[in-house]
Amino acid sequence: MMLVIRFEVLQPFPHLPTKPLLRKHPKSVSQGGTTTRSLDKIRIHYVYITVIQRRNFGDINFNRTWTEFASGFGFLGSEFWLGNEKIAHLLNQKSYQLRLEFENVAGQLYQVTYDHFSIGDEWMSYSIVGLGTYGGTADSTTTFCPSNELYSDDVCERRCTDPNECISSSTSSSERDYVCSDDARCEQRDTVRSCYCQDGFEGNGVTCNRVGPRHCQDILDAGTDTAGTFTIYPDGWLVTGLEVRCENGWMVIQKRRKRSNSNFNRSWNDYKNGFRHPSGDFWLDQVIEWCPTNKQFSSYNCERTCNDPQTCLPANPDGRERCVCPENFMISEGNCIPMEECVCFVEDMGVVLPRGEQLMSSDCGTRYQCRSRGITTDRDIHCSNLATCESREGVRGCYCTEWFEGDGITCTRSGPRDCHELYTSGRRNDGVYTIFPTGDLIFQVYCKMSGDGGGWTVLQRRINSSVDFNRNWGNYRRGFGDLLGNHWLGNDRIHALTNQKNYRLIVEVTNAEGTQYKSRYRTFRISGGTDKYRLTIASYSGNTGHNSMTSSSGNQFSTFDQDNDGSSTFNCAEKHRGGWWYPDDRTASNQCYTFQNRGSVVRYEYSDCTCYCWSNNMCPPQSYYQEDCRVSETHCSISIGSHRDGYNRCCENKNPIYETNSFSCGYSNLNGEYQHRDNRGIFWHALHGSDCGITQTTLMIRP
């Protein structure tokens, strides 16, 4: 059954003149001795046919869902339904005729037509909107073109006997030449080229019929039940008939009497060609193609070899039965053998490996490799920690995970080493990403892709007081906090990052008024844990008011439980309530100067008080402020000369409870207590507007 729609158009024939033409016509009136007739403009009629459904052999199931009928299914070269959505779209372009063609079991074709066919869209459930006038009859049949002929407007056909002569397709069928039969050849015999039936067939070349029986059973079926020698014509036998002995429908291929002196110890060729003995004993004495060992006479069309078991070699391109190596057998050195006998057959998996390839077991614990001498088996395989055991495109094995490459046993990093490489690969959104620095470390970082050229890897960020930064050495080594908020990335990770390329550092600080300032350093890196993460930083620029980190260059990292700072007086990490790179006495601002931070109220024990004399005769004034930023009391302003006892009295006169903690280890610490307005809190020396605290900080790097 087939459904087709057609669209018709009438238009001028493109290469013919459109002016009136004159031609002779037997019924025209004679005028002045010339018989003529005026023709109208010549036009051509085009018919466009679109097939929307075809069913031939029942290979495709048409019991489908609504969605499948809407989108279409099947194969356009055989059976299919075009799809309701496409049909609706087609029918809404022009006016179409619908033709339904049916074929009965006798091969007769019937058709009916509707001259205006249209359907609605999906919203209308593809309902039929119109059919128009019915045409055709169920009683009329359509004749198909003969074999190998096409319905076409081609006007030239040619004969085998005279291929250079063009015969008009309008010539009567008795004068036309047809295509040779499949059992005939178009060739020249006795100077006449034509279609000639092959041996064993007879006919005119267009139609060829087999001559004689194909086997002994045909002779028996024809009524001859006596034993004797007969000529048969087996399928595919292209030489003259084959003489065989038939006995009641059976073909005898060997006969050997009990007391015969005939010799059957013969050569290969004797058995191939057949032989007879005067006594009557014989081996079928005709050249007949017996299938070699393990091959079968079949139309099976796919042979495989042991060396390349994945490639299908066509065995019967014309569809005829031949001796072929069947399924589960393979060709090796010209012989058809069971696949289990192939050199590279993997018994555990039941497959044959191509030469030079390998195969993994289901758990990826065993690897089989096909070598020239057979299979080698390695049962001690372990996928890399950076790989997974899975099947890809039908091949199971160890496959390196994303951003890694290798054979799955060994995987090397091929992914982004920092946020800048992610940025150059096209990532543009701020957020958490996984990076793969040089070495075995794999971890997540927060990437700032917007601003300052993008691609910045964040090492530290503080936005509120929810995370305590007064942590021990192990916490700072591993990292802590939330990458989306307050966090320290971890010194091991910072070391891995900063030692794979040359990195720049940006320090962002925001004061209590909400103003952001930036310090930029063209060089930033830290050493490993054995060197206590020593800092290297240089080449400052920015608007923070002071280069507050260069003095820390060359110093090791310190926490309250690992005092690696350069101060001879204090444990700076304990004093400033956070891990940092604190400088030594020679470069630090560790002198007794008065902090002018408004509202600076501190409470330290008396042992913290150390008064450094600015001159030989005077200690500097030491002040503290109440929370309303009003000066309340001043100490240590007595002229004491250079006497030691006077120095001690100066310090003893200080208030042990409300003493100003004026001593500072260096010019910066971004990991102190959140928003304290003295040197216990986050501080950056000489930052404008920071007398009431720093509210936000960020450290980030980029190559």
Side-chain angles (χ1 to χ4, degrees):
M1 174 181 175
M2 184 167 66
L3 303 181
V4 298
I5 57 175
R6 77 176 193 169
F7 167 69
E8 301 185 14
V9 63
L10 194 67
Q11 65 181 34
F13 201 15
H15 62 275
L16 292 180
T18 56
K19 64 183 179 179
L21 299 178
L22 297 178
R23 70 174 183 179
K24 292 183 179 181
H25 194 278
K27 294 183 180 180
S28 299
V29 179
S30 178
Q31 298 178 358
T34 302
T35 302
T36 62
R37 183 178 182 182
S38 177
L39 298 179
D40 292 331
K41 189 180 297 183
I42 294 179
R43 305 173 75 87
I44 187 169
H45 191 208
Y46 287 97
V47 178
Y48 300 93
I49 296 178
T50 302
V51 181
I52 62 175
Q53 182 255 36
R54 182 189 291 119
R55 300 188 72 174
N56 293 333
F57 308 105
D59 294 334
I60 298 296
N61 178 23
F62 274 65
N63 186 17
R64 300 293 185 112
T65 64
W66 173 270
T67 301
E68 288 174 304
F69 269 99
S71 59
F73 55 86
F75 304 94
L76 294 178
S78 56
E79 296 185 333
F80 68 94
W81 177 259
L82 185 61
N84 291 337
E85 191 64 28
K86 301 183 186 74
I87 297 171
H89 180 76
L90 278 169
L91 296 179
N92 282 281
Q93 301 180 108
K94 305 179 180 75
S95 177
Y96 285 88
Q97 180 194 74
L98 172 68
R99 186 173 76 209
L100 293 83
E101 297 180 354
F102 309 89
E103 183 179 357
N104 63 17
V105 293
Q108 295 175 312
L109 182 68
Y110 299 84
Q111 68 176 30
V112 295
T113 61
Y114 296 90
D115 63 4
H116 186 74
F117 175 56
S118 62
I119 66 172
D121 57 13
E122 185 179 13
W123 186 80
M124 298 178 64
S125 299
Y126 305 115
S127 59
I128 296 178
V129 177
L131 286 173
T133 304
Y134 169 85
T137 65
D139 298 328
S140 62
T141 62
T142 299
T143 303
F144 288 101
C145 291
S147 176
N148 295 324
E149 289 192 358
L150 302 174
Y151 192 78
S152 170
D153 58 358
D154 196 328
V155 296
C156 185
E157 294 182 325
R158 302 181 188 274
R159 290 190 180 95
C160 284
T161 54
D162 191 1
N164 295 322
E165 181 183 0
C166 177
I167 303 173
S168 172
S169 59
S170 61
T171 304
S172 63
S173 59
S174 61
E175 297 176 343
R176 295 171 59 195
D177 201 8
Y178 295 98
V179 176
C180 295
S181 166
D182 289 340
D183 298 311
R185 292 179 180 149
C186 182
E187 59 186 5
Q188 185 169 315
R189 295 183 183 179
D190 297 330
T191 71
V192 179
R193 187 168 185 82
S194 184
C195 297
Y196 294 98
C197 294
Q198 301 180 43
D199 291 338
F201 294 85
E202 62 182 8
N204 60 7
V206 176
T207 302
C208 296
N209 299 314
R210 179 175 293 279
V211 178
R214 293 176 298 170
H215 40 66
C216 292
Q217 183 64 42
D218 284 349
I219 296 174
L220 178 64
D221 293 342
T224 303
D225 56 1
T226 58
T229 301
F230 298 89
T231 301
I232 62 173
Y233 302 88
D235 290 337
W237 189 256
L238 301 182
V239 297
T240 57
L242 174 65
E243 286 191 358
V244 297
R245 178 172 178 80
C246 295
E247 296 181 359
N248 199 28
W250 292 87
M251 180 176 69
V252 181
I253 62 174
Q254 186 251 37
K255 185 176 181 180
R256 190 175 186 185
R257 294 178 300 170
K258 182 177 181 181
R259 296 179 180 178
S260 171
N261 60 356
S262 57
N263 178 23
F264 273 71
N265 186 17
R266 302 290 189 109
S267 67
W268 174 267
N269 285 333
D270 284 344
Y271 273 97
K272 178 180 179 182
N273 299 322
F275 54 86
R276 285 181 179 272
H277 191 269
S279 64
D281 294 348
F282 68 89
W283 179 263
L284 187 62
D285 55 346
Q286 293 286 343
V287 180
I288 187 169
E289 180 187 2
W290 299 101
C291 288
T293 303
N294 294 327
K295 285 196 173 186
Q296 298 176 359
F297 197 70
S298 169
S299 59
Y300 182 66
N301 194 33
C302 183
E303 291 185 326
R304 302 179 186 274
T305 66
C306 290
N307 289 338
D308 188 10
Q310 297 175 354
T311 301
C312 177
L313 303 175
N316 289 304
D318 56 4
R320 293 191 177 188
E321 290 187 342
R322 284 183 172 83
C323 292
V324 297
C325 196
E327 191 174 5
N328 297 325
F329 285 76
M330 295 185 180
I331 298 173
S332 175
E333 297 181 352
N335 299 317
C336 178
I337 63 174
M339 60 185 296
E340 294 84 357
E341 296 180 11
C342 290
V343 173
C344 287
F345 176 74
V346 182
E347 184 176 359
D348 295 344
M349 308 290 289
V351 297
V352 177
L353 274 181
R355 184 70 58 84
E357 294 193 11
Q358 63 181 26
L359 178 68
M360 285 285 191
S361 61
S362 59
D363 61 355
C364 294
T366 303
R367 179 170 59 192
Y368 307 92
Q369 289 183 293
C370 179
R371 305 294 189 186
S372 58
R373 296 185 178 180
I375 287 288
T376 60
T377 304
D378 186 350
R379 300 187 182 276
D380 190 25
I381 298 297
H382 302 283
C383 293
S384 166
N385 293 331
L386 305 172
T388 58
C389 176
E390 59 182 287
S391 295
R392 295 183 183 179
E393 298 180 355
V395 179
R396 190 158 190 83
C398 299
Y399 294 95
C400 297
T401 55
E402 185 183 15
W403 299 111
F404 283 82
E405 59 185 15
D407 60 3
I409 309 302
T410 302
C411 298
T412 56
R413 186 196 59 77
S414 64
R417 291 181 289 176
D418 53 33
C419 294
H420 185 254
E421 290 189 5
L422 281 164
Y423 182 85
T424 56
S425 70
R427 308 293 177 89
R428 292 293 185 271
N429 295 327
D430 294 351
V432 176
Y433 294 88
T434 300
I435 62 172
F436 306 82
T438 302
D440 295 331
L441 282 177
I442 308 170
F443 52 87
Q444 291 186 315
V445 294
Y446 187 88
C447 294
K448 191 172 184 295
M449 301 300 191
S450 56
D452 296 297
W456 292 90
T457 304
V458 177
L459 308 181
Q460 182 254 37
R461 185 161 64 161
R462 303 191 71 175
I463 56 176
N464 55 45
S465 60
S466 62
V467 175
D468 181 14
F469 273 65
N470 190 18
R471 302 290 187 107
N472 62 26
W473 181 263
N475 286 161
Y476 271 98
R477 177 176 61 83
R478 294 185 298 271
F480 56 85
D482 181 1
L483 292 176
L484 295 174
N486 301 282
H487 71 276
W488 179 261
L489 185 59
N491 289 337
D492 280 344
R493 296 173 177 176
I494 297 173
H495 164 70
L497 274 168
T498 59
N499 283 270
Q500 59 184 355
K501 301 176 185 177
N502 294 322
Y503 282 91
R504 294 175 287 166
L505 173 72
I506 285 184
V507 180
E508 291 182 347
V509 290
T510 303
N511 63 21
E513 298 173 353
T515 303
Q516 186 183 83
Y517 298 89
K518 294 184 180 182
S519 288
R520 304 174 188 273
Y521 295 89
R522 294 189 62 84
T523 299
F524 176 82
R525 66 177 178 274
I526 66 172
S527 62
T530 56
D531 194 32
K532 310 297 184 184
Y533 308 110
R534 190 182 303 274
L535 174 67
T536 298
I537 189 170
S539 302
Y540 164 82
S541 64
N543 62 354
T544 52
H546 192 270
N547 176 11
S548 297
M549 282 192 71
T550 301
S551 61
S552 296
S553 187
N555 286 273
Q556 297 175 329
F557 197 84
S558 290
T559 57
F560 66 78
D561 60 335
Q562 279 215 27
D563 184 4
N564 301 316
D565 60 55
S567 173
S568 60
T569 308
F570 293 103
N571 179 338
C572 293
E574 182 179 28
K575 184 177 183 65
H576 290 296
R577 303 297 194 265
W580 197 250
W581 298 278
Y582 297 104
D584 56 29
D585 290 338
R586 293 169 297 175
T587 57
S589 58
N590 52 355
Q591 51 190 354
C592 197
Y593 65 87
T594 302
F595 266 73
Q596 298 300 322
N597 294 351
R598 292 170 56 82
S600 178
V601 179
V602 297
R603 291 176 172 80
Y604 277 83
E605 296 298 327
Y606 179 80
S607 60
D608 283 341
C609 176
T610 297
C611 192
Y612 182 91
C613 290
W614 290 59
S615 65
N616 291 332
N617 60 358
M618 186 175 182
C619 286
Q622 302 295 304
S623 301
Y624 75 91
Y625 294 86
Q626 299 287 2
E627 291 192 5
D628 60 0
C629 296
R630 178 177 56 83
V631 176
S632 176
E633 187 176 354
T634 301
H635 295 282
C636 203
S637 58
I638 306 173
S639 297
I640 60 174
S642 58
H643 300 288
R644 183 69 178 172
D645 57 342
Y647 175 85
N648 291 336
R649 284 197 304 274
C650 170
C651 291
E652 289 170 0
N653 286 334
K654 290 182 178 293
N655 188 322
I657 302 300
Y658 295 102
E659 178 57 58
T660 301
N661 181 22
S662 301
F663 190 90
S664 172
C665 296
Y667 294 97
S668 65
N669 172 25
L670 301 186
N671 290 335
E673 290 186 9
Y674 183 78
Q675 215 171 353
H676 259 279
R677 289 161 289 189
D678 58 30
N679 56 3
R680 286 181 302 170
I682 306 169
F683 68 89
W684 188 273
H685 182 59
L687 179 68
H688 176 73
S690 64
D691 52 348
C692 287
I694 293 174
T695 60
Q696 293 185 23
T697 67
T698 301
L699 298 177
M700 54 188 183
I701 60 172
R702 196 186 84 165

